[in-house]
Amino acid sequence: MDLTLTEDQQLVQTTAREFLAGRTGADVWKEIVELGWTGLTVPEAHGGIGSDFLDACLVAEELGRAGVATPFAATVAGAATIARFGTDQQRQRWLPAIVDGRAIACPTGGSDLTATPSGDGYLVSGRAQFVPFAAEAADLLVVAGPVAAIIDGGAPGITRERLDVVGNEPVYAVTFESVAAESLAEGQAATAYATVLTCAEMVGGAQAVLDLTVEYAGQRRQFGVPIGSFQAVQHHCANMAIDVLGSRFATYEAAWQLGTETDAGLAVSTAKAVVSDAYQRVCALGHQVHGAIGFTAEHDLHRYLRHATAAALAYGDADVHFDRLATGLGL
């Protein structure tokens, strides 16, 4: 594939980067909605922009680069799933609401949900252990066995418990007690969108760590010279740059395959396996170059380390996806 961005994609990337510069996640969601980012993958017929899935990944990358925690990945994953697999009725019900800012939360792992057929839909029961923004989002995108469904967060039978976990976003355990749901798609397809968007956020975070480290290496002086003049530091920065570039290529390849509706399973697992390990390596080398200052609360580096640790585990860690790759390749 050609990774060269089109003029429209460059505009999306530049606009997102300029908008997010210096912002936090406090009140940014409303502005994200006003910019139309939640409707990037929504067809124009339902009030969206109708862009490629890769465009949404460009925004996700900039969110990761700025270190802004939002329910963007889960929301856009839900929108993409509904737009591609939902019925006309489901599209009319959910997509305009998503464009208008109705956020979606999605379990990132540790779920034991089951879906029992009931009438025209299902009854979902069980516990989803790690669900970012479950209390803040209006709806939940859940995968119960082979079934993926959007559930109204205000439906009876749903309880939430705030968890104290690593990461920069609020995470909850959500329990479902025979909650009514409509099937949207095969579960693995729905999870793929959220996985690739998470990879894009991780690529952005890794790029930010690389930028911070290169800047610091040019400013910090020892023995009268910048530490960036030392060969060992240059090697660290070069290795970080290689990891960032490889991660971006793997993520864009997976996004492109998902957007063209081809069988993207292997590409998605490749991206998650590669990016999960690479982001953590980049953070480790960034801390090594920064030294003690990188571990202080005043410096941003530790926030990216927390993000890397949490995101690496979301939707399956590197080991899980390497196993899927081995199985898919018949190894």
Side-chain angles (χ1 to χ4, degrees), residues 64-65 67 69 166-169 198-199 201-209 247 272-287 300-318:
R65 183 173 185 156
V166 68
N168 300 315
E169 53 197 10
T198 299
C199 286
E201 290 181 344
M202 296 168 75
V203 170
Q207 181 67 61
V209 174
S247 296
K272 190 58 171 65
V274 168
V275 180
S276 293
D277 282 349
Y279 191 8
Q280 293 181 93
R281 285 196 300 269
V282 168
C283 286
L285 290 175
H287 274 292
D300 286 337
L301 192 58
H302 70 96
R303 296 175 59 247
Y304 290 104
L305 176 61
R306 292 205 305 270
H307 178 229
T309 303
L313 298 173
Y315 307 109
D317 63 7

Side-chain angles (χ1 to χ4, degrees), residues 251-267:
T251 299
Y252 284 13
E253 172 69 19
W256 175 77
Q257 288 199 25
L258 277 177
T260 54
E261 300 190 13
T262 58
D263 183 8
L266 291 180

Side-chain angles (χ1 to χ4, degrees), residues 24-116:
T24 64
D27 299 312
V28 75
W29 181 250
K30 180 180 178 181
E31 295 176 276
I32 285 176
V33 173
E34 292 173 350
L35 287 168
W37 293 352
T38 55
L40 280 170
T41 61
V42 175
E44 294 181 19
H46 296 288
I49 298 175
S51 297
D52 294 336
F53 180 64
L54 180 56
D55 292 0
C57 290
L58 294 174
V59 172
E61 181 177 340
E62 294 306 319
L63 286 167
R65 183 173 185 156
V68 176
T70 71
F72 178 81
T75 300
V76 173
T81 303
I82 296 168
R84 180 173 175 182
F85 298 104
T87 64
D88 289 340
Q89 183 179 6
Q90 288 172 333
R91 294 189 187 102
Q92 293 171 6
R93 176 186 177 188
W94 296 107
L95 293 181
I98 292 173
V99 173
D100 290 339
R102 192 173 175 93
I104 295 175
C106 181
T108 61
S111 299
D112 60 353
L113 302 179
T114 59
T116 305

Side-chain angles (χ1 to χ4, degrees), residues 10 13 22 49 89 96 131 231 301 311:
Q10 291 176 8
Q13 185 181 59
I49 298 175
Q89 183 179 6
V131 191
Q231 190 175 53
L301 192 58

Side-chain angles (χ1 to χ4, degrees), residues 176-203:
F176 299 84
E177 296 181 6
S178 299
V179 179
E182 296 178 74
S183 176
L184 282 174
E186 192 273 327
Q188 188 173 356
T191 304
Y193 287 112
T195 302
V196 174
L197 285 161
T198 299
C199 286
E201 290 181 344
M202 296 168 75
V203 170

